[in-house]
Amino acid sequence: MKALLRAALPPVTIVMALLLLWEGAVRLFQPAAYLLPGPIDVVRALVGDAERLLSATGRTALSALLGFLFAGVGGVVLGTVLSMSRFLERGFYPLATLFQMVPLVALAPLLVIWFHYGLGATIAASAIVAIFPVLANTLDGLRSVDPGLRELFSMARAGRVVTWWKLGLPASTPQIITGLRIAAGLAVIGTIVGEFVSGYAGRQAPLGVVILSAMRENRADLVFASIALSSLVGLMLFGMVGFGGWLFLRRWHASGNSAEGRVVRAVVWLLAVGVVLSLVSGGCERRSGSDAGSSERTRVTLQLNWVPEPEFGGIYAAQAIGAFDARGLEVEIIKGGAGTATPQLIASGACDFGVVSADQILQIREQGGDLVAIYAIFQQSPVGIMVHEANPITSIRELWTSRSTVAVEPGLPYVAYLNRRYGEGGVTLVPYGGALALFARDPAFAQQCFISAEPVQMQLQGVPVRVLPVAESGYDPYTAVIAVRRSTLERRPEVVEKMVDALREAWRAYLDDPARFNPAIAALNPAMSLEAMNIAAEREHPLIETEWTREHGLGSMDPERWRELAAQMRELGLIRGTYEPATLMR
């Protein structure tokens, strides 16, 4: 107990002092809560959202632990193989350094395509980030074995495997433990980044998704609470490595002989094992019982390209009124977010149906992905640029030729269209991540938006805004289009037909009475209030139900608009091929 107190007292004292300074600074300078909450606010968030945060921590801990184990085993194996051959070391070691240099944020969307959502992609992200220090330290340890001892083993005619097992591995254990300590923290970082892109929402949300949701809610207290819990996960992994190091090194190496270290490592290790084991079942909840009734209904997945909002009202209404069930469909709706690679996910078979825009269908077709549009939610594009009401700019042209800063999703075709039409010499473009805090506090800032989403939230926060519709510039593709692979359409036309019928029925129900369905959507997206969703539903109604849909049916599409869009994209150099509307839409 004395050893534990001696080891714990210094860090606890420093942490408590820093927390007191933090709380004092917050009380003194009183920054806005969405900029910097105090420690007391963070504790309140931990207590108030305890159930949600505990579940999220369990899922993140499971992903980080498995990713760490893959990285640990893989790093030791690869380091061992490279140590046995100078040729392999010179050839592959420089490539192995790419694991350390790879921009994981850029790679994460590909991991979703390769490993799909959930544990697969987050474990891969964690392992990719964490494997290099284990590999490098293993290789250095094996290369640093005493040459005299190697010579002794050689004289005894010991083979490579025996020499590795009896000499190399024990001698390099301290370096391997050091690599594993570094990997423990990196595994958590990789997991969180992977969850930003591939984590499930709702009850399956891990800490990465909770952080994204909290940012969108302007809940900085919840962000700090999630960060604290993710740090705790890293600490537990670090403690497990420390305990393992003590276990293996205590008899012969200086790093394993500290009494204080033994106590602390043992306590942390026991905590880690208890928490992980108690929450593993929670991390695997989604798999259990998911096959119930699968023999009676056709199971399909529908990937959204944004978080649950009224723009998907008819999709959630289809679940609520049983439109999917009535047609024998069991539909899993997967939420999206900024940068979700929905076209690639559909084209790769990671999901059956997905929400994309018409221009994305043309782009993915150009790259060999054969997608077909089956239902268009918005007949007029709801995409716009949001500026403060006090901003003197009143048109897209004025904005694009000004010195303004505009946040947009990089790579969107409408940005290329505006750049070509109005030039690129004026406006400064920055990445858009979905948060509204920067816009709210900077009157000169402009931001991409959905007419029925972000402007409504700003209105309710007392920030008057003006929306500049992109459609008024002449670029007006179908938006929020349900798409499938052509192979799915050809192999299972009856499933596609059922999906279209269900969506048409459900969108009719949603447009007639959105207040009936919005509470359920609001429960899935705490960032948007129920009041905001009701207002948004009113604003989007005329963009969804038009003269065309009254004549041809909700979700139907005009071939001429597809032809015009293809011509615009060819002019922009975004596509080269010629695509007839009949090949692009059902």
Side-chain angles (χ1 to χ4, degrees), residues 37 41-42 45-46 48-49 52-53 207 210-211 213-215 217-229:
D41 296 321
V42 175
L46 283 167
D49 293 87
R52 175 187 182 187
L53 289 172
L207 286 176
V210 172
I211 290 172
S213 299
M215 286 292 293
E217 299 170 35
N218 293 324
R219 288 281 311 277
D221 56 342
L222 192 55
V223 172
F224 276 88
S226 301
I227 292 172
L229 290 172

mmCIF file with all atom_site columns, all heavy atoms in Angstrom, residues 37 41-42 45-46 48-49 52-53 207 210-211 213-215 217-229:
data_model
loop_
_atom_site.group_PDB
_atom_site.id
_atom_site.type_symbol
_atom_site.label_atom_id
_atom_site.label_alt_id
_atom_site.label_comp_id
_atom_site.label_asym_id
_atom_site.label_entity_id
_atom_site.label_seq_id
_atom_site.pdbx_PDB_ins_code
_atom_site.Cartn_x
_atom_site.Cartn_y
_atom_site.Cartn_z
_atom_site.occupancy
_atom_site.B_iso_or_equiv
_atom_site.pdbx_formal_charge
_atom_site.auth_seq_id
_atom_site.auth_comp_id
_atom_site.auth_asym_id
_atom_site.auth_atom_id
_atom_site.pdbx_PDB_model_num
ATOM 1   N N   . PRO A 1 37  ? -15.123 24.045 -21.868 1.00 0.00 ? 37  PRO A N   1
ATOM 2   C CA  . PRO A 1 37  ? -15.850 23.801 -20.624 1.00 0.00 ? 37  PRO A CA  1
ATOM 3   C C   . PRO A 1 37  ? -14.865 23.625 -19.474 1.00 0.00 ? 37  PRO A C   1
ATOM 4   O O   . PRO A 1 37  ? -13.669 23.386 -19.688 1.00 0.00 ? 37  PRO A O   1
ATOM 5   C CB  . PRO A 1 37  ? -16.583 22.488 -20.918 1.00 0.00 ? 37  PRO A CB  1
ATOM 6   C CG  . PRO A 1 37  ? -15.658 21.780 -21.854 1.00 0.00 ? 37  PRO A CG  1
ATOM 7   C CD  . PRO A 1 37  ? -15.008 22.853 -22.700 1.00 0.00 ? 37  PRO A CD  1
ATOM 8   N N   . ASP A 1 41  ? -17.867 20.780 -15.576 1.00 0.00 ? 41  ASP A N   1
ATOM 9   C CA  . ASP A 1 41  ? -18.798 20.516 -16.678 1.00 0.00 ? 41  ASP A CA  1
ATOM 10  C C   . ASP A 1 41  ? -18.522 19.153 -17.312 1.00 0.00 ? 41  ASP A C   1
ATOM 11  O O   . ASP A 1 41  ? -19.436 18.430 -17.693 1.00 0.00 ? 41  ASP A O   1
ATOM 12  C CB  . ASP A 1 41  ? -18.690 21.611 -17.737 1.00 0.00 ? 41  ASP A CB  1
ATOM 13  C CG  . ASP A 1 41  ? -19.099 22.972 -17.209 1.00 0.00 ? 41  ASP A CG  1
ATOM 14  O OD1 . ASP A 1 41  ? -20.063 23.028 -16.429 1.00 0.00 ? 41  ASP A OD1 1
ATOM 15  O OD2 . ASP A 1 41  ? -18.447 23.971 -17.569 1.00 0.00 ? 41  ASP A OD2 1
ATOM 16  N N   . VAL A 1 42  ? -17.236 18.824 -17.425 1.00 0.00 ? 42  VAL A N   1
ATOM 17  C CA  . VAL A 1 42  ? -16.866 17.530 -18.010 1.00 0.00 ? 42  VAL A CA  1
ATOM 18  C C   . VAL A 1 42  ? -17.343 16.393 -17.121 1.00 0.00 ? 42  VAL A C   1
ATOM 19  O O   . VAL A 1 42  ? -17.870 15.375 -17.599 1.00 0.00 ? 42  VAL A O   1
ATOM 20  C CB  . VAL A 1 42  ? -15.342 17.456 -18.237 1.00 0.00 ? 42  VAL A CB  1
ATOM 21  C CG1 . VAL A 1 42  ? -14.943 16.070 -18.737 1.00 0.00 ? 42  VAL A CG1 1
ATOM 22  C CG2 . VAL A 1 42  ? -14.889 18.530 -19.219 1.00 0.00 ? 42  VAL A CG2 1
ATOM 23  N N   . ALA A 1 45  ? -20.953 15.888 -17.576 1.00 0.00 ? 45  ALA A N   1
ATOM 24  C CA  . ALA A 1 45  ? -21.213 15.146 -18.814 1.00 0.00 ? 45  ALA A CA  1
ATOM 25  C C   . ALA A 1 45  ? -20.945 13.659 -18.627 1.00 0.00 ? 45  ALA A C   1
ATOM 26  O O   . ALA A 1 45  ? -21.691 12.813 -19.124 1.00 0.00 ? 45  ALA A O   1
ATOM 27  C CB  . ALA A 1 45  ? -20.346 15.699 -19.952 1.00 0.00 ? 45  ALA A CB  1
ATOM 28  N N   . LEU A 1 46  ? -19.884 13.336 -17.893 1.00 0.00 ? 46  LEU A N   1
ATOM 29  C CA  . LEU A 1 46  ? -19.579 11.927 -17.615 1.00 0.00 ? 46  LEU A CA  1
ATOM 30  C C   . LEU A 1 46  ? -20.706 11.260 -16.844 1.00 0.00 ? 46  LEU A C   1
ATOM 31  O O   . LEU A 1 46  ? -21.085 10.120 -17.125 1.00 0.00 ? 46  LEU A O   1
ATOM 32  C CB  . LEU A 1 46  ? -18.276 11.824 -16.827 1.00 0.00 ? 46  LEU A CB  1
ATOM 33  C CG  . LEU A 1 46  ? -16.970 11.994 -17.610 1.00 0.00 ? 46  LEU A CG  1
ATOM 34  C CD1 . LEU A 1 46  ? -15.804 12.183 -16.652 1.00 0.00 ? 46  LEU A CD1 1
ATOM 35  C CD2 . LEU A 1 46  ? -16.736 10.797 -18.519 1.00 0.00 ? 46  LEU A CD2 1
ATOM 36  N N   . GLY A 1 48  ? -23.958 12.519 -16.507 1.00 0.00 ? 48  GLY A N   1
ATOM 37  C CA  . GLY A 1 48  ? -25.237 12.616 -17.203 1.00 0.00 ? 48  GLY A CA  1
ATOM 38  C C   . GLY A 1 48  ? -25.365 11.691 -18.392 1.00 0.00 ? 48  GLY A C   1
ATOM 39  O O   . GLY A 1 48  ? -26.461 11.226 -18.704 1.00 0.00 ? 48  GLY A O   1
ATOM 40  N N   . ASP A 1 49  ? -24.249 11.412 -19.061 1.00 0.00 ? 49  ASP A N   1
ATOM 41  C CA  . ASP A 1 49  ? -24.268 10.523 -20.233 1.00 0.00 ? 49  ASP A CA  1
ATOM 42  C C   . ASP A 1 49  ? -23.536 9.228  -19.930 1.00 0.00 ? 49  ASP A C   1
ATOM 43  O O   . ASP A 1 49  ? -22.920 8.628  -20.814 1.00 0.00 ? 49  ASP A O   1
ATOM 44  C CB  . ASP A 1 49  ? -23.623 11.220 -21.439 1.00 0.00 ? 49  ASP A CB  1
ATOM 45  C CG  . ASP A 1 49  ? -24.426 12.401 -21.937 1.00 0.00 ? 49  ASP A CG  1
ATOM 46  O OD1 . ASP A 1 49  ? -24.238 13.511 -21.419 1.00 0.00 ? 49  ASP A OD1 1
ATOM 47  O OD2 . ASP A 1 49  ? -25.248 12.200 -22.843 1.00 0.00 ? 49  ASP A OD2 1
ATOM 48  N N   . ARG A 1 52  ? -24.390 5.966  -22.050 1.00 0.00 ? 52  ARG A N   1
ATOM 49  C CA  . ARG A 1 52  ? -23.923 6.099  -23.431 1.00 0.00 ? 52  ARG A CA  1
ATOM 50  C C   . ARG A 1 52  ? -22.400 6.031  -23.510 1.00 0.00 ? 52  ARG A C   1
ATOM 51  O O   . ARG A 1 52  ? -21.832 5.345  -24.373 1.00 0.00 ? 52  ARG A O   1
ATOM 52  C CB  . ARG A 1 52  ? -24.430 7.426  -23.987 1.00 0.00 ? 52  ARG A CB  1
ATOM 53  C CG  . ARG A 1 52  ? -23.933 7.797  -25.380 1.00 0.00 ? 52  ARG A CG  1
ATOM 54  C CD  . ARG A 1 52  ? -24.398 9.215  -25.703 1.00 0.00 ? 52  ARG A CD  1
ATOM 55  N NE  . ARG A 1 52  ? -24.008 9.649  -27.020 1.00 0.00 ? 52  ARG A NE  1
ATOM 56  C CZ  . ARG A 1 52  ? -24.170 10.885 -27.478 1.00 0.00 ? 52  ARG A CZ  1
ATOM 57  N NH1 . ARG A 1 52  ? -24.732 11.811 -26.699 1.00 0.00 ? 52  ARG A NH1 1
ATOM 58  N NH2 . ARG A 1 52  ? -23.786 11.222 -28.695 1.00 0.00 ? 52  ARG A NH2 1
ATOM 59  N N   . LEU A 1 53  ? -21.721 6.710  -22.592 1.00 0.00 ? 53  LEU A N   1
ATOM 60  C CA  . LEU A 1 53  ? -20.269 6.765  -22.624 1.00 0.00 ? 53  LEU A CA  1
ATOM 61  C C   . LEU A 1 53  ? -19.636 5.435  -22.238 1.00 0.00 ? 53  LEU A C   1
ATOM 62  O O   . LEU A 1 53  ? -18.611 5.042  -22.796 1.00 0.00 ? 53  LEU A O   1
ATOM 63  C CB  . LEU A 1 53  ? -19.769 7.875  -21.697 1.00 0.00 ? 53  LEU A CB  1
ATOM 64  C CG  . LEU A 1 53  ? -20.041 9.306  -22.178 1.00 0.00 ? 53  LEU A CG  1
ATOM 65  C CD1 . LEU A 1 53  ? -19.686 10.311 -21.098 1.00 0.00 ? 53  LEU A CD1 1
ATOM 66  C CD2 . LEU A 1 53  ? -19.262 9.600  -23.456 1.00 0.00 ? 53  LEU A CD2 1
ATOM 67  N N   . LEU A 1 207 ? -16.579 5.658  -29.065 1.00 0.00 ? 207 LEU A N   1
ATOM 68  C CA  . LEU A 1 207 ? -16.178 6.996  -28.627 1.00 0.00 ? 207 LEU A CA  1
ATOM 69  C C   . LEU A 1 207 ? -15.916 7.940  -29.802 1.00 0.00 ? 207 LEU A C   1
ATOM 70  O O   . LEU A 1 207 ? -16.206 9.136  -29.724 1.00 0.00 ? 207 LEU A O   1
ATOM 71  C CB  . LEU A 1 207 ? -14.928 6.912  -27.745 1.00 0.00 ? 207 LEU A CB  1
ATOM 72  C CG  . LEU A 1 207 ? -15.128 6.390  -26.326 1.00 0.00 ? 207 LEU A CG  1
ATOM 73  C CD1 . LEU A 1 207 ? -13.800 6.269  -25.597 1.00 0.00 ? 207 LEU A CD1 1
ATOM 74  C CD2 . LEU A 1 207 ? -16.077 7.294  -25.542 1.00 0.00 ? 207 LEU A CD2 1
ATOM 75  N N   . VAL A 1 210 ? -19.166 9.279  -30.867 1.00 0.00 ? 210 VAL A N   1
ATOM 76  C CA  . VAL A 1 210 ? -19.685 10.179 -29.832 1.00 0.00 ? 210 VAL A CA  1
ATOM 77  C C   . VAL A 1 210 ? -18.998 11.545 -29.930 1.00 0.00 ? 210 VAL A C   1
ATOM 78  O O   . VAL A 1 210 ? -19.644 12.593 -29.804 1.00 0.00 ? 210 VAL A O   1
ATOM 79  C CB  . VAL A 1 210 ? -19.470 9.575  -28.437 1.00 0.00 ? 210 VAL A CB  1
ATOM 80  C CG1 . VAL A 1 210 ? -19.829 10.584 -27.346 1.00 0.00 ? 210 VAL A CG1 1
ATOM 81  C CG2 . VAL A 1 210 ? -20.311 8.311  -28.269 1.00 0.00 ? 210 VAL A CG2 1
ATOM 82  N N   . ILE A 1 211 ? -17.695 11.548 -30.203 1.00 0.00 ? 211 ILE A N   1
ATOM 83  C CA  . ILE A 1 211 ? -16.964 12.813 -30.345 1.00 0.00 ? 211 ILE A CA  1
ATOM 84  C C   . ILE A 1 211 ? -17.498 13.603 -31.524 1.00 0.00 ? 211 ILE A C   1
ATOM 85  O O   . ILE A 1 211 ? -17.738 14.819 -31.426 1.00 0.00 ? 211 ILE A O   1
ATOM 86  C CB  . ILE A 1 211 ? -15.455 12.543 -30.502 1.00 0.00 ? 211 ILE A CB  1
ATOM 87  C CG1 . ILE A 1 211 ? -14.866 12.034 -29.185 1.00 0.00 ? 211 ILE A CG1 1
ATOM 88  C CG2 . ILE A 1 211 ? -14.720 13.808 -30.950 1.00 0.00 ? 211 ILE A CG2 1
ATOM 89  C CD1 . ILE A 1 211 ? -13.437 11.550 -29.278 1.00 0.00 ? 211 ILE A CD1 1
ATOM 90  N N   . SER A 1 213 ? -20.473 13.387 -32.909 1.00 0.00 ? 213 SER A N   1
ATOM 91  C CA  . SER A 1 213 ? -21.825 13.846 -32.597 1.00 0.00 ? 213 SER A CA  1
ATOM 92  C C   . SER A 1 213 ? -21.781 15.024 -31.634 1.00 0.00 ? 213 SER A C   1
ATOM 93  O O   . SER A 1 213 ? -22.523 15.998 -31.786 1.00 0.00 ? 213 SER A O   1
ATOM 94  C CB  . SER A 1 213 ? -22.641 12.702 -31.980 1.00 0.00 ? 213 SER A CB  1
ATOM 95  O OG  . SER A 1 213 ? -22.756 11.626 -32.884 1.00 0.00 ? 213 SER A OG  1
ATOM 96  N N   . ALA A 1 214 ? -20.895 14.942 -30.653 1.00 0.00 ? 214 ALA A N   1
ATOM 97  C CA  . ALA A 1 214 ? -20.790 16.022 -29.671 1.00 0.00 ? 214 ALA A CA  1
ATOM 98  C C   . ALA A 1 214 ? -20.293 17.312 -30.317 1.00 0.00 ? 214 ALA A C   1
ATOM 99  O O   . ALA A 1 214 ? -20.738 18.411 -29.965 1.00 0.00 ? 214 ALA A O   1
ATOM 100 C CB  . ALA A 1 214 ? -19.854 15.605 -28.536 1.00 0.00 ? 214 ALA A CB  1
ATOM 101 N N   . MET A 1 215 ? -19.386 17.192 -31.284 1.00 0.00 ? 215 MET A N   1
ATOM 102 C CA  . MET A 1 215 ? -18.908 18.383 -31.988 1.00 0.00 ? 215 MET A CA  1
ATOM 103 C C   . MET A 1 215 ? -20.057 19.038 -32.737 1.00 0.00 ? 215 MET A C   1
ATOM 104 O O   . MET A 1 215 ? -20.190 20.262 -32.760 1.00 0.00 ? 215 MET A O   1
ATOM 105 C CB  . MET A 1 215 ? -17.800 17.994 -32.963 1.00 0.00 ? 215 MET A CB  1
ATOM 106 C CG  . MET A 1 215 ? -16.474 17.664 -32.295 1.00 0.00 ? 215 MET A CG  1
ATOM 107 S SD  . MET A 1 215 ? -15.705 19.114 -31.534 1.00 0.00 ? 215 MET A SD  1
ATOM 108 C CE  . MET A 1 215 ? -15.312 20.078 -32.986 1.00 0.00 ? 215 MET A CE  1
ATOM 109 N N   . GLU A 1 217 ? -23.124 18.846 -31.952 1.00 0.00 ? 217 GLU A N   1
ATOM 110 C CA  . GLU A 1 217 ? -24.061 19.387 -30.959 1.00 0.00 ? 217 GLU A CA  1
ATOM 111 C C   . GLU A 1 217 ? -23.490 20.601 -30.221 1.00 0.00 ? 217 GLU A C   1
ATOM 112 O O   . GLU A 1 217 ? -24.159 21.173 -29.365 1.00 0.00 ? 217 GLU A O   1
ATOM 113 C CB  . GLU A 1 217 ? -24.385 18.318 -29.909 1.00 0.00 ? 217 GLU A CB  1
ATOM 114 C CG  . GLU A 1 217 ? -25.047 17.072 -30.441 1.00 0.00 ? 217 GLU A CG  1
ATOM 115 C CD  . GLU A 1 217 ? -25.116 15.981 -29.383 1.00 0.00 ? 217 GLU A CD  1
ATOM 116 O OE1 . GLU A 1 217 ? -25.290 16.324 -28.192 1.00 0.00 ? 217 GLU A OE1 1
ATOM 117 O OE2 . GLU A 1 217 ? -24.976 14.806 -29.732 1.00 0.00 ? 217 GLU A OE2 1
ATOM 118 N N   . ASN A 1 218 ? -22.239 20.962 -30.523 1.00 0.00 ? 218 ASN A N   1
ATOM 119 C CA  . ASN A 1 218 ? -21.532 22.000 -29.770 1.00 0.00 ? 218 ASN A CA  1
ATOM 120 C C   . ASN A 1 218 ? -21.399 21.623 -28.293 1.00 0.00 ? 218 ASN A C   1
ATOM 121 O O   . ASN A 1 218 ? -21.415 22.482 -27.410 1.00 0.00 ? 218 ASN A O   1
ATOM 122 C CB  . ASN A 1 218 ? -22.229 23.360 -29.902 1.00 0.00 ? 218 ASN A CB  1
ATOM 123 C CG  . ASN A 1 218 ? -22.151 23.898 -31.310 1.00 0.00 ? 218 ASN A CG  1
ATOM 124 O OD1 . ASN A 1 218 ? -21.150 23.711 -31.994 1.00 0.00 ? 218 ASN A OD1 1
ATOM 125 N ND2 . ASN A 1 218 ? -23.208 24.561 -31.757 1.00 0.00 ? 218 ASN A ND2 1
ATOM 126 N N   . ARG A 1 219 ? -21.262 20.310 -28.034 1.00 0.00 ? 219 ARG A N   1
ATOM 127 C CA  . ARG A 1 219 ? -21.105 19.800 -26.671 1.00 0.00 ? 219 ARG A CA  1
ATOM 128 C C   . ARG A 1 219 ? -19.627 19.568 -26.385 1.00 0.00 ? 219 ARG A C   1
ATOM 129 O O   . ARG A 1 219 ? -19.133 18.437 -26.396 1.00 0.00 ? 219 ARG A O   1
ATOM 130 C CB  . ARG A 1 219 ? -21.886 18.497 -26.507 1.00 0.00 ? 219 ARG A CB  1
ATOM 131 C CG  . ARG A 1 219 ? -23.395 18.615 -26.461 1.00 0.00 ? 219 ARG A CG  1
ATOM 132 C CD  . ARG A 1 219 ? -23.886 19.058 -25.105 1.00 0.00 ? 219 ARG A CD  1
ATOM 133 N NE  . ARG A 1 219 ? -23.330 18.303 -24.000 1.00 0.00 ? 219 ARG A NE  1
ATOM 134 C CZ  . ARG A 1 219 ? -23.804 17.118 -23.585 1.00 0.00 ? 219 ARG A CZ  1
ATOM 135 N NH1 . ARG A 1 219 ? -24.848 16.573 -24.190 1.00 0.00 ? 219 ARG A NH1 1
ATOM 136 N NH2 . ARG A 1 219 ? -23.258 16.508 -22.549 1.00 0.00 ? 219 ARG A NH2 1
ATOM 137 N N   . ALA A 1 220 ? -18.889 20.634 -26.127 1.00 0.00 ? 220 ALA A N   1
ATOM 138 C CA  . ALA A 1 220 ? -17.462 20.485 -25.848 1.00 0.00 ? 220 ALA A CA  1
ATOM 139 C C   . ALA A 1 220 ? -17.239 19.678 -24.577 1.00 0.00 ? 220 ALA A C   1
ATOM 140 O O   . ALA A 1 220 ? -16.218 18.986 -24.438 1.00 0.00 ? 220 ALA A O   1
ATOM 141 C CB  . ALA A 1 220 ? -16.805 21.849 -25.733 1.00 0.00 ? 220 ALA A CB  1
ATOM 142 N N   . ASP A 1 221 ? -18.178 19.758 -23.610 1.00 0.00 ? 221 ASP A N   1
ATOM 143 C CA  . ASP A 1 221 ? -18.030 18.974 -22.379 1.00 0.00 ? 221 ASP A CA  1
ATOM 144 C C   . ASP A 1 221 ? -18.045 17.480 -22.679 1.00 0.00 ? 221 ASP A C   1
ATOM 145 O O   . ASP A 1 221 ? -17.249 16.714 -22.120 1.00 0.00 ? 221 ASP A O   1
ATOM 146 C CB  . ASP A 1 221 ? -19.133 19.343 -21.386 1.00 0.00 ? 221 ASP A CB  1
ATOM 147 C CG  . ASP A 1 221 ? -20.538 19.167 -21.969 1.00 0.00 ? 221 ASP A CG  1
ATOM 148 O OD1 . ASP A 1 221 ? -20.668 19.089 -23.210 1.00 0.00 ? 221 ASP A OD1 1
ATOM 149 O OD2 . ASP A 1 221 ? -21.502 19.124 -21.189 1.00 0.00 ? 221 ASP A OD2 1
ATOM 150 N N   . LEU A 1 222 ? -18.921 17.065 -23.598 1.00 0.00 ? 222 LEU A N   1
ATOM 151 C CA  . LEU A 1 222 ? -18.993 15.659 -23.966 1.00 0.00 ? 222 LEU A CA  1
ATOM 152 C C   . LEU A 1 222 ? -17.761 15.242 -24.765 1.00 0.00 ? 222 LEU A C   1
ATOM 153 O O   . LEU A 1 222 ? -17.304 14.097 -24.670 1.00 0.00 ? 222 LEU A O   1
ATOM 154 C CB  . LEU A 1 222 ? -20.268 15.400 -24.773 1.00 0.00 ? 222 LEU A CB  1
ATOM 155 C CG  . LEU A 1 222 ? -20.668 13.945 -25.003 1.00 0.00 ? 222 LEU A CG  1
ATOM 156 C CD1 . LEU A 1 222 ? -20.781 13.198 -23.683 1.00 0.00 ? 222 LEU A CD1 1
ATOM 157 C CD2 . LEU A 1 222 ? -21.979 13.875 -25.773 1.00 0.00 ? 222 LEU A CD2 1
ATOM 158 N N   . VAL A 1 223 ? -17.214 16.159 -25.574 1.00 0.00 ? 223 VAL A N   1
ATOM 159 C CA  . VAL A 1 223 ? -15.978 15.867 -26.306 1.00 0.00 ? 223 VAL A CA  1
ATOM 160 C C   . VAL A 1 223 ? -14.847 15.593 -25.324 1.00 0.00 ? 223 VAL A C   1
ATOM 161 O O   . VAL A 1 223 ? -14.115 14.602 -25.450 1.00 0.00 ? 223 VAL A O   1
ATOM 162 C CB  . VAL A 1 223 ? -15.605 17.044 -27.240 1.00 0.00 ? 223 VAL A CB  1
ATOM 163 C CG1 . VAL A 1 223 ? -14.217 16.817 -27.844 1.00 0.00 ? 223 VAL A CG1 1
ATOM 164 C CG2 . VAL A 1 223 ? -16.629 17.195 -28.351 1.00 0.00 ? 223 VAL A CG2 1
ATOM 165 N N   . PHE A 1 224 ? -14.684 16.475 -24.311 1.00 0.00 ? 224 PHE A N   1
ATOM 166 C CA  . PHE A 1 224 ? -13.622 16.282 -23.326 1.00 0.00 ? 224 PHE A CA  1
ATOM 167 C C   . PHE A 1 224 ? -13.848 15.003 -22.519 1.00 0.00 ? 224 PHE A C   1
ATOM 168 O O   . PHE A 1 224 ? -12.888 14.302 -22.178 1.00 0.00 ? 224 PHE A O   1
ATOM 169 C CB  . PHE A 1 224 ? -13.541 17.490 -22.395 1.00 0.00 ? 224 PHE A CB  1
ATOM 170 C CG  . PHE A 1 224 ? -12.713 18.630 -22.936 1.00 0.00 ? 224 PHE A CG  1
ATOM 171 C CD1 . PHE A 1 224 ? -13.297 19.600 -23.733 1.00 0.00 ? 224 PHE A CD1 1
ATOM 172 C CD2 . PHE A 1 224 ? -11.367 18.705 -22.667 1.00 0.00 ? 224 PHE A CD2 1
ATOM 173 C CE1 . PHE A 1 224 ? -12.546 20.643 -24.238 1.00 0.00 ? 224 PHE A CE1 1
ATOM 174 C CE2 . PHE A 1 224 ? -10.603 19.751 -23.167 1.00 0.00 ? 224 PHE A CE2 1
ATOM 175 C CZ  . PHE A 1 224 ? -11.185 20.728 -23.964 1.00 0.00 ? 224 PHE A CZ  1
ATOM 176 N N   . ALA A 1 225 ? -15.091 14.701 -22.212 1.00 0.00 ? 225 ALA A N   1
ATOM 177 C CA  . ALA A 1 225 ? -15.380 13.465 -21.481 1.00 0.00 ? 225 ALA A CA  1
ATOM 178 C C   . ALA A 1 225 ? -14.983 12.245 -22.300 1.00 0.00 ? 225 ALA A C   1
ATOM 179 O O   . ALA A 1 225 ? -14.393 11.286 -21.778 1.00 0.00 ? 225 ALA A O   1
ATOM 180 C CB  . ALA A 1 225 ? -16.869 13.412 -21.126 1.00 0.00 ? 225 ALA A CB  1
ATOM 181 N N   . SER A 1 226 ? -15.277 12.277 -23.587 1.00 0.00 ? 226 SER A N   1
ATOM 182 C CA  . SER A 1 226 ? -14.912 11.163 -24.468 1.00 0.00 ? 226 SER A CA  1
ATOM 183 C C   . SER A 1 226 ? -13.404 11.052 -24.603 1.00 0.00 ? 226 SER A C   1
ATOM 184 O O   . SER A 1 226 ? -12.848 9.939  -24.650 1.00 0.00 ? 226 SER A O   1
ATOM 185 C CB  . SER A 1 226 ? -15.555 11.359 -25.845 1.00 0.00 ? 226 SER A CB  1
ATOM 186 O OG  . SER A 1 226 ? -16.964 11.421 -25.745 1.00 0.00 ? 226 SER A OG  1
ATOM 187 N N   . ILE A 1 227 ? -12.731 12.188 -24.690 1.00 0.00 ? 227 ILE A N   1
ATOM 188 C CA  . ILE A 1 227 ? -11.265 12.178 -24.769 1.00 0.00 ? 227 ILE A CA  1
ATOM 189 C C   . ILE A 1 227 ? -10.669 11.573 -23.497 1.00 0.00 ? 227 ILE A C   1
ATOM 190 O O   . ILE A 1 227 ? -9.721  10.768 -23.551 1.00 0.00 ? 227 ILE A O   1
ATOM 191 C CB  . ILE A 1 227 ? -10.728 13.606 -24.997 1.00 0.00 ? 227 ILE A CB  1
ATOM 192 C CG1 . ILE A 1 227 ? -11.119 14.099 -26.396 1.00 0.00 ? 227 ILE A CG1 1
ATOM 193 C CG2 . ILE A 1 227 ? -9.216  13.647 -24.821 1.00 0.00 ? 227 ILE A CG2 1
ATOM 194 C CD1 . ILE A 1 227 ? -10.798 15.552 -26.645 1.00 0.00 ? 227 ILE A CD1 1
ATOM 195 N N   . ALA A 1 228 ? -11.231 11.946 -22.355 1.00 0.00 ? 228 ALA A N   1
ATOM 196 C CA  . ALA A 1 228 ? -10.738 11.392 -21.090 1.00 0.00 ? 228 ALA A CA  1
ATOM 197 C C   . ALA A 1 228 ? -10.908 9.873  -21.054 1.00 0.00 ? 228 ALA A C   1
ATOM 198 O O   . ALA A 1 228 ? -10.002 9.143  -20.612 1.00 0.00 ? 228 ALA A O   1
ATOM 199 C CB  . ALA A 1 228 ? -11.476 12.041 -19.919 1.00 0.00 ? 228 ALA A CB  1
ATOM 200 N N   . LEU A 1 229 ? -12.033 9.392  -21.524 1.00 0.00 ? 229 LEU A N   1
ATOM 201 C CA  . LEU A 1 229 ? -12.273 7.949  -21.511 1.00 0.00 ? 229 LEU A CA  1
ATOM 202 C C   . LEU A 1 229 ? -11.380 7.225  -22.510 1.00 0.00 ? 229 LEU A C   1
ATOM 203 O O   . LEU A 1 229 ? -10.902 6.117  -22.239 1.00 0.00 ? 229 LEU A O   1
ATOM 204 C CB  . LEU A 1 229 ? -13.745 7.668  -21.806 1.00 0.00 ? 229 LEU A CB  1
ATOM 205 C CG  . LEU A 1 229 ? -14.708 8.078  -20.678 1.00 0.00 ? 229 LEU A CG  1
ATOM 206 C CD1 . LEU A 1 229 ? -16.154 7.942  -21.140 1.00 0.00 ? 229 LEU A CD1 1
ATOM 207 C CD2 . LEU A 1 229 ? -14.469 7.237  -19.432 1.00 0.00 ? 229 LEU A CD2 1
#
